[in-house]
Amino acid sequence: MKFTSAILALLLAAPAAQAQSLVFGAGFSDFSDSQSDDEAAFSLEYQHRPFHEASRFSATWGSALTVDTAGDIHIGIGLIGIYGFAERWFVEGSVMPGYFSEGEGRNDLGGEFQIRTLLGLGYTLDSGNKVSLAITHKSNASTQDNNPGVNSALLRYHFAF
């Protein structure tokens, strides 16, 4: 009987655990180099189920794809931390090193290796999905001679599944 109760408790608790999610974003990128053109940006991110959960903090891994209207592409994989506060609000941070390809040649970031960092503030909806505002920064962390960087502001929708 105890075994059956334990399994039932685990099954009932499962929906409460954080799900994985797809995050769709749209916004604007501001390139630091004066020769570059600022662009509209779109992002798609996958966030896996957390591998660590504490009272308000969870850590997971994920991947992100960012494309702008000049055809610049960044794809990265890395770590994501989420801290919940005030019931439905959360702060999110991530670090995702990856590959950058400049589209039309105007938006040179100094090399193909770029690290995307993100800081976001969001709200969890009744459905369990989330909305957030995030700022990102891409830079090669001075691994190349040229390191102009790019900053983006994104409005994001997190679809949990």
Side-chain angles (χ1 to χ4, degrees), residues 1-9:
M1 184 69 171
K2 287 184 182 183
F3 180 73
T4 306
S5 298
I7 289 178
L8 182 59

Side-chain angles (χ1 to χ4, degrees), residues 50-75:
F51 61 80
H52 172 75
E53 291 181 287
S55 61
R56 293 180 174 249
F57 176 78
S58 64
T60 188
W61 63 271
S63 59
L65 170 68
T66 305
V67 178
D68 66 29
T69 50
D72 303 319
I73 297 170
H74 179 266
I75 186 164

Side-chain angles (χ1 to χ4, degrees), residues 60-102:
T60 188
W61 63 271
S63 59
L65 170 68
T66 305
V67 178
D68 66 29
T69 50
D72 303 319
I73 297 170
H74 179 266
I75 186 164
I77 297 172
L79 295 174
I80 303 165
I82 299 172
Y83 179 80
F85 67 95
E87 279 190 53
R88 294 183 177 212
W89 291 92
F90 65 93
V91 174
E92 174 186 357
S94 67
V95 177
M96 293 193 185
Y99 171 78
F100 175 79
S101 173
E102 62 184 275

